[in-house]
């Protein structure tokens, strides 16, 4: 059973994580109408809220960015959140945040960030891939990816980073530096992709020795190694209209897609 908890209602939240005995929510302040009525990049005021118990929430002052924050992760005793216009913020406690954005590294939107094998990896617009060992100094690895597609999700498992994005793009890397395009290694007819954006992949996770990625039109692919992917069709035949799966996670022997 679930109990409704309401952090500051003036926020729209995009990302969530837990670390160092702290829950962290990130997003933007202001309504979606305010956000979409600005520039073509949809700049919004970034916002962060934290909680020690998931019940009572505290807004954190973020003066170092005015851009929407899209995701957050925790690793190496550090919170890292990423967002629009290349925004990157870090914090050791979730309370005080430091701007690590460098326009010389990227000004593209960053959609997702993960941590694995001693490395932070964030992905975003136009095949942007940035890596960092400490969350402070970042290196752009976009040229090694071999694609120009937007990348929306990234995860780490089985000694492998996997990122997914537009047009069913799937890239893998063992070190975050050299990336291999495994998009063509999918066992599928793509017969359900009737709209231009239905074959985009938005989320990816790893659990129980399996990578799972989800996307448009209830698309689900699985892989044990990140290289060879198999389409799973257990939902689309039951829905009269296309459904979009934007995220997936794993916990206690259960995958959950939303």
């Amino acid at each position: 059973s679930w109990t409704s908890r309401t952090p500051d209602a003036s926020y729209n939240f995009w990302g969530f994580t837990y670390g160092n005995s702290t829950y962290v929510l990130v997003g933007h302040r202001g309504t979606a109408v305010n956000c979409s009525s600005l520039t073509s990049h949809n700049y919004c005021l970034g916002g962060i809220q934290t909680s020690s118990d998931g019940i009572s929430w505290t807004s954190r002052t973020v003066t170092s960015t005015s851009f929407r924050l899209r995701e957050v992760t925790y690793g190496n005793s550090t919170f890292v959140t990423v967002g629009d216009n290349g925004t990157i913020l870090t914090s050791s406690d979730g309370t005080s945040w430091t701007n690590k954005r460098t326009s010389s590294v990227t000004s593209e939107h960053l959609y997702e960030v993960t941590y694995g094998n001693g490395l932070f990896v964030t992905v975003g617009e136009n095949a942007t891939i940035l890596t960092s060992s400490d969350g402070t100094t970042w290196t752009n690895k976009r040229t090694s990816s071999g694609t120009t597609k937007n990348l929306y999700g990234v995860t780490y498992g089985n000694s492998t980073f996997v990122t997914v994005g537009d047009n069913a793009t799937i890239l893998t890397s063992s070190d975050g530096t050299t990336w291999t395009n495994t998009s063509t290694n999918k066992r599928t007819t793509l017969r359900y992709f009737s709209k231009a954006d239905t074959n985009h992949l938005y989320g990816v996770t790893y659990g129980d020795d399996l990578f799972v990625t989800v996307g448009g039109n209830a698309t689900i692919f699985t892989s044990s190694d990140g290289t060879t992917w198999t389409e799973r069709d257990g939902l689309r035949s039951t829905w009269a209209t296309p459904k979009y799966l934007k995220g997936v996670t794993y916990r206690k022997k259960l995958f959950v897609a939303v």
Side-chain angles (χ1 to χ4, degrees):
S1 61
W2 292 81
T3 300
S4 177
R5 304 298 180 186
T6 306
D8 191 327
S10 66
Y11 285 70
N12 286 270
F13 296 108
W14 291 73
F16 170 82
T17 196
Y18 178 82
N20 193 23
S21 302
T22 304
Y23 298 96
V24 177
L25 281 168
V26 301
H28 69 269
R29 289 169 283 173
T31 68
V33 174
N34 296 145
C35 192
S36 62
S37 66
L38 298 178
T39 72
S40 59
H41 281 291
N42 295 329
Y43 295 153
C44 297
L45 300 175
I48 297 174
Q49 295 202 357
T50 65
S51 173
S52 61
D53 57 10
I55 298 173
S56 300
W57 294 84
T58 302
S59 297
R60 302 302 177 182
T61 301
V62 184
T63 58
S64 55
T65 178
S66 61
F67 303 122
R68 168 170 43 191
L69 301 172
R70 293 180 179 264
E71 265 300 346
V72 60
T73 194
Y74 183 80
N76 193 25
S77 301
T78 304
F79 291 101
V80 174
T81 181
V82 300
D84 289 359
N85 204 34
T87 296
I88 300 174
L89 308 178
T90 65
S91 173
S92 60
D93 56 10
T95 300
S96 301
W97 294 81
T98 304
N99 190 353
K100 301 300 182 181
R101 176 185 179 273
T102 304
S103 58
S104 61
V105 176
T106 188
S107 293
E108 303 283 9
H109 290 354
L110 300 173
Y111 297 125
E112 178 67 282
V113 59
T114 194
Y115 181 82
N117 195 30
L119 197 68
F120 290 101
V121 176
T122 181
V123 300
E125 276 188 319
N126 299 314
T128 295
I129 300 174
L130 310 181
T131 65
S132 174
S133 60
D134 57 8
T136 297
T137 303
W138 294 82
T139 303
N140 196 328
K141 303 296 184 180
R142 176 166 55 183
T143 56
S144 69
S145 69
T147 184
T148 59
K149 304 297 184 183
N150 292 339
L151 301 172
Y152 301 116
V154 62
T155 194
Y156 180 81
N158 193 24
S159 301
T160 304
F161 290 99
V162 175
T163 181
V164 300
D166 281 350
N167 300 115
T169 296
I170 302 175
L171 310 177
T172 65
S173 174
S174 61
D175 58 9
T177 297
T178 302
W179 293 82
T180 301
N181 193 327
T182 65
S183 303
T184 58
N185 301 332
K186 295 189 294 298
R187 297 169 183 163
T188 176
T189 63
L190 303 183
R191 59 193 177 281
Y192 296 98
F193 295 156
S194 58
K195 293 185 178 181
D197 62 343
T198 53
N199 61 339
H200 298 340
L201 298 174
Y202 296 110
V204 61
T205 194
Y206 181 82
D208 199 20
D209 299 322
L210 195 70
F211 290 100
V212 177
T213 181
V214 300
N217 210 0
T219 298
I220 300 173
F221 289 111
T222 65
S223 173
S224 61
D225 58 8
T227 299
T228 302
W229 295 81
T230 302
E231 184 183 22
R232 305 299 180 181
D233 178 22
L235 295 174
R236 284 175 298 208
S237 60
T238 66
W239 290 334
T241 58
K243 306 292 184 181
Y244 289 76
L245 299 174
K246 292 298 185 75
V248 60
T249 192
Y250 177 85
R251 181 71 173 171
K252 293 185 177 180
K253 298 293 182 179
L254 187 68
F255 290 96
V256 177
V258 296

